[in-house]
Amino acid sequence: MIRTRFAPSPTGYLHVGGARTALFNWLFARKYGGEFVLRIEDTDQVRSTAESAAGILADLQWLGLDWDRGPVPGDAKNDYFQSMRLDIYNEYLNQLLQSGAAYEAYETPAQLAAMRARAEKEKRPFRYRKNMPGRASPGAGPSVLRFEMPYETVEFNDLILGPISVGGDEHDDIVIRKSDGFPTYHFAVVVDDHLMGISHVLRAQEHLMNTPKHLGLYRALGWTPPQHAHMPLVFNMDNTKMSKRDKSKAARHAVQMRLKQDASLTIDSLAAKMGIASASLQAFVQQKMDDPAITGALAGALNLQLPEIDVQDFRRSGYLADALLNFIALIGWSPGENREMLTRDELRSLFSLEGIGKTNGRFDRKKLLWMNGEYIRQADDQKLLKAIESFNLVTEYPLKQASAKVLIDLIGMYRERMGTLAEMAENSRFFFGPPVYEPKAIKKYLATEADIAHLRQIAAILREIPTPWDAASLAGPMESIIALGDKRGAAAQILRVAVSGGAVSPPLLETLVLLGKDVTMQRLKELEGMVQAKPPV
RNA sequence: GCCCUCAUCGUCUAGAGGCCUAGGACACGGGCUUUUCACGCCUGUAACUGGGGUUCGAAUCCCCAUGAGGGCACCA
């Protein structure tokens, strides 16, 4: 039976790279009627948090990647958290100790660092081996357990990359039990993959060099290893690795720009505005730390658009789960036949390891944006309504106040003209409150006395419309308004500015209907007052 | 530095020796449509990293060079 797993460590949010790994494992299991296991690798006691684990679960659920075995959302830790399996690891750790395959080592981290530094200075690779000279002898300090890796070439057939071979003197004796008694990743992963019956390990290529070590462990334990497949990595467009630090990097860059541009802005005043100690902000700006909380606060204070990295970033930016999944699947995998818009079912039936390429890909946000727009345009009202409700759960736009009925109206107006739900949320603000008049638009469309005369004529035309104020009753008057200008459309822009505040909005007819007569007339009047009080030069 | 891996348009990719004057999509340019912005439609620019082989024939196979990426933790 095919059984795959996704095994994140709960040290942060689920980022798109992890989501892709999860997706491929999920697709592979689902395609062949196998099982998909989710396991939380929380063997790093310092960095792992329960909130992070819960967040990863929530993100996977939002993506619709369901697991057959694993943690139960909302429940306490179960067997699929490695921190709950210490007894199991200890049993096998003892087995290796007794068989002589593992041994204790006593170096402190500082000693190891010194040994590495010396090796580097002498221009030779550092490998910790049992028979190397200068090993520390048992002392008062805690010890770790290391696995004695045989001095043999390890060969295996990677299902994506083909035959891989690593020479015997490249190995070193990895730590398998840390001094805090927890197993290391290398050990826990082998034990769990075996015990959980994982048949295929599909993971990112950054793990390729771990595989020989894991294979050594399988052999020492007397187990048959699973098949391995290492997928190409995903990078930013500038070829840097996509990482959560991209967000702090962008925030830091923005702060430095603003400080340069705006002399009145200082670290102190900014920190005060953000409600944090200026020493913290200082440290952040000087790259001494990358606190995500500061990054977030900075984005709020400076109104920044940070690059989306984590799954929840994309959710908050108004990407649809299906679109994100479809897009991510296409980085490093292709179904052939020039196909790329693929439903979840198509993805599943078309997926194969053979379709996975060997070259690293770049994350092209422009294409994702296009694809998300395609998904939005193809979705029916109900589907979009659901997506918006999900979006509203994690964002704070005025759109949040809208009833389902109003949302349906807005969907009709924005479906064709939005790339993300956030664009709709942003652009539809004027439906929920007074418009913010853009000086540029006023200057362009209400520059002359003739423009202001048109504004009054528009108001006069609209005022005469009897109830009901609807598409039918507005159609004729709208034509008259358009006919007002010498250029077709010029007068319509005046009305558009009046109701929306800017030069861009959905078609006026629908816009006016949704706004209602009272609001429309009021905004017309308000704009007239504005331009009269401050006559354009 | 050492080890491993990879190499087709700016980007994602199709291509498994002749179907390739290298196909599709995004992005970009031009045009049409249009009450704004979009959407839509038509259309254009654009790639086999280089050098050696193998073969009647190479984007496809082999070697070397170059370039890119990954790994070298008591992180996963």
Side-chain angles (χ1 to χ4, degrees):
Chain A
M1 173 189 211
I2 302 272
R3 190 179 283 142
T4 62
R5 46 70 165 180
F6 176 56
S9 66
T11 54
Y13 301 112
L14 178 65
H15 60 97
V16 281
R20 189 178 71 129
T21 303
L23 171 64
F24 283 22
N25 276 285
W26 182 84
L27 287 170
F28 188 62
R30 292 281 174 267
K31 156 127 191 188
Y32 297 107
E35 284 186 347
F36 176 59
V37 176
L38 178 62
R39 182 174 71 224
I40 304 296
E41 310 219 318
D42 55 348
T43 51
D44 184 335
Q45 294 192 77
V46 178
R47 296 198 302 152
S48 298
T49 68
E51 300 75 59
S52 168
I56 289 170
L57 259 44
D59 288 339
L60 287 170
Q61 285 181 306
W62 178 71
L63 288 168
L65 302 180
D66 54 339
W67 51 96
D68 303 298
R69 297 158 189 246
V72 180
D75 257 21
K77 289 184 181 181
N78 64 8
D79 272 1
Y80 291 86
F81 284 76
Q82 291 186 325
S83 59
M84 302 299 280
R85 303 166 62 78
L86 260 29
D87 290 346
I88 299 171
Y89 306 126
N90 281 331
E91 182 189 334
Y92 293 106
L93 249 4
N94 286 332
Q95 186 183 313
L96 288 185
L97 203 48
Q98 275 159 26
S99 73
Y103 61 93
E104 302 209 63
Y106 304 93
E107 288 76 13
T108 63
Q111 284 174 308
L112 285 169
M115 290 161 95
R116 283 192 191 95
R118 199 178 318 128
E120 193 179 340
K121 210 170 154 190
E122 292 166 12
K123 294 193 171 175
R124 60 179 166 82
F126 175 71
R127 308 239 147 75
Y128 193 107
R129 305 247 60 177
K130 192 178 183 182
N131 61 3
M132 69 184 208
R135 287 186 50 217
S137 40
S143 67
V144 300
L145 222 51
R146 284 182 185 267
F147 170 63
E148 186 178 9
M149 186 74 187
Y151 282 79
E152 289 166 19
T153 297
V154 175
E155 292 175 310
F156 65 100
N157 186 51
D158 188 281
L159 263 21
I160 291 170
L161 297 172
I164 304 288
S165 167
V166 180
D169 45 359
E170 300 302 328
H171 312 312
D172 59 357
D173 294 351
I174 52 168
V175 173
I176 53 177
R177 188 189 65 202
K178 302 184 256 189
S179 58
D180 66 0
F182 272 54
T184 58
Y185 156 74
H186 298 295
F187 191 73
V189 92
V190 165
V191 170
D192 285 346
D193 281 345
H194 176 258
L195 259 28
M196 294 178 184
I198 302 303
S199 64
H200 297 258
V201 172
L202 229 180
R203 54 169 41 154
Q205 227 173 81
E206 59 197 4
H207 285 293
L208 186 62
M209 287 300 104
N210 290 332
T211 309
K213 307 175 207 285
H214 298 176
L215 258 15
L217 248 11
Y218 277 103
R219 197 162 74 162
L221 260 2
W223 296 335
T224 305
Q227 301 260 48
H228 287 87
H230 291 92
M231 352 188 280
L233 271 17
V234 182
F235 294 91
N236 288 311
M237 284 305 279
D238 62 5
N239 236 338
T240 55
K241 201 171 167 184
M242 277 185 98
S243 88
K244 21 200 146 206
R245 300 206 355 206
D246 289 352
K247 283 193 278 183
S248 46
K249 214 161 80 186
R252 181 147 44 225
H253 183 70
V255 179
Q256 281 157 349
M257 291 292 286
R258 296 292 174 89
L259 288 174
K260 221 178 273 175
Q261 285 166 3
D262 182 356
S264 68
L265 194 70
T266 64
I267 294 270
D268 290 336
S269 69
L270 187 56
K273 188 176 168 189
M274 291 162 60
I276 63 168
S278 71
S280 308
L281 185 57
Q282 185 71 271
F284 179 87
V285 171
Q286 292 173 348
Q287 299 191 41
K288 287 181 181 150
M289 53 104 155
D290 276 327
D291 189 342
I294 293 187
T295 303
L298 228 29
L302 298 177
N303 198 15
L304 301 176
Q305 186 69 28
L306 297 176
E308 298 95 349
I309 299 293
D310 299 314
V311 168
Q312 56 165 266
D313 297 335
F314 288 95
R315 183 177 176 187
R316 290 206 182 103
S317 288
Y319 288 90
L320 268 33
D322 283 351
L324 185 59
L325 243 29
N326 190 161
F327 176 73
I328 277 174
L330 259 19
I331 306 177
W333 174 77
S334 165
E337 297 177 353
N338 291 335
R339 302 193 58 185
E340 55 181 14
M341 286 292 291
L342 302 162
T343 66
R344 202 174 285 255
D345 284 344
E346 287 170 331
L347 242 28
R348 188 173 52 196
S349 62
L350 260 23
F351 186 79
S352 77
L353 255 28
E354 292 73 47
I356 299 180
K358 300 179 180 182
T359 54
N360 296 333
R362 261 148 296 253
F363 195 92
D364 186 349
R365 289 163 197 283
K366 283 189 174 169
K367 184 153 185 177
L368 202 216
L369 186 62
W370 163 79
M371 186 170 276
N372 200 56
E374 288 288 299
Y375 269 85
I376 288 172
R377 271 165 248 136
Q378 286 176 13
D380 61 33
D381 288 357
Q382 286 308 311
K383 198 167 169 191
L384 274 185
L385 187 61
K386 278 210 180 97
I388 292 169
E389 283 165 353
S390 162
F391 169 77
N392 279 340
L393 251 31
V394 295
T395 54
E396 297 294 338
Y397 289 96
L399 192 65
K400 215 168 171 165
Q401 317 151 12
S403 66
K405 192 187 160 303
V406 167
L407 283 178
I408 296 284
D409 284 344
L410 288 173
I411 286 168
M413 283 186 252
Y414 282 99
R415 178 187 275 114
E416 309 268 282
R417 63 195 87 242
M418 63 169 151
T420 64
L421 302 180
E423 279 176 28
M424 167 176 162
E426 194 54 57
N427 296 335
S428 66
R429 295 190 110 104
F430 71 88
F431 283 104
F432 302 95
V436 178
Y437 290 104
E438 292 169 19
K440 248 204 231 160
I442 303 258
K443 208 173 159 191
K444 179 161 181 194
Y445 295 106
L446 289 136
T448 66
E449 280 304 323
D451 292 335
I452 297 173
H454 281 149
L455 180 63
R456 291 199 195 96
Q457 285 172 285
I458 291 167
I461 291 170
L462 292 175
R463 194 177 302 120
E464 294 313 311
I465 296 174
T467 41
W469 171 271
D470 58 20
S473 62
L474 276 162
M478 268 308 296
E479 277 309 312
S480 315
I481 290 171
I482 289 165
L484 240 39
D486 25 295
K487 263 195 306 182
R488 196 174 161 78
Q493 282 305 83
I494 296 173
L495 174 55
R496 193 181 308 279
V497 172
V499 295
S500 77
V504 176
S505 83
L508 282 167
L509 203 65
E510 293 99 301
T511 301
L512 296 190
V513 171
L514 183 58
L515 245 20
K517 186 171 185 179
D518 290 350
V519 173
T520 303
M521 298 317 297
Q522 186 197 320
R523 288 186 184 179
L524 248 8
K525 204 172 138 195
E526 184 155 327
L527 181 59
E528 193 187 327
M530 261 178 69
V531 291
Q532 276 175 341
K534 220 173 77 181
V537 240

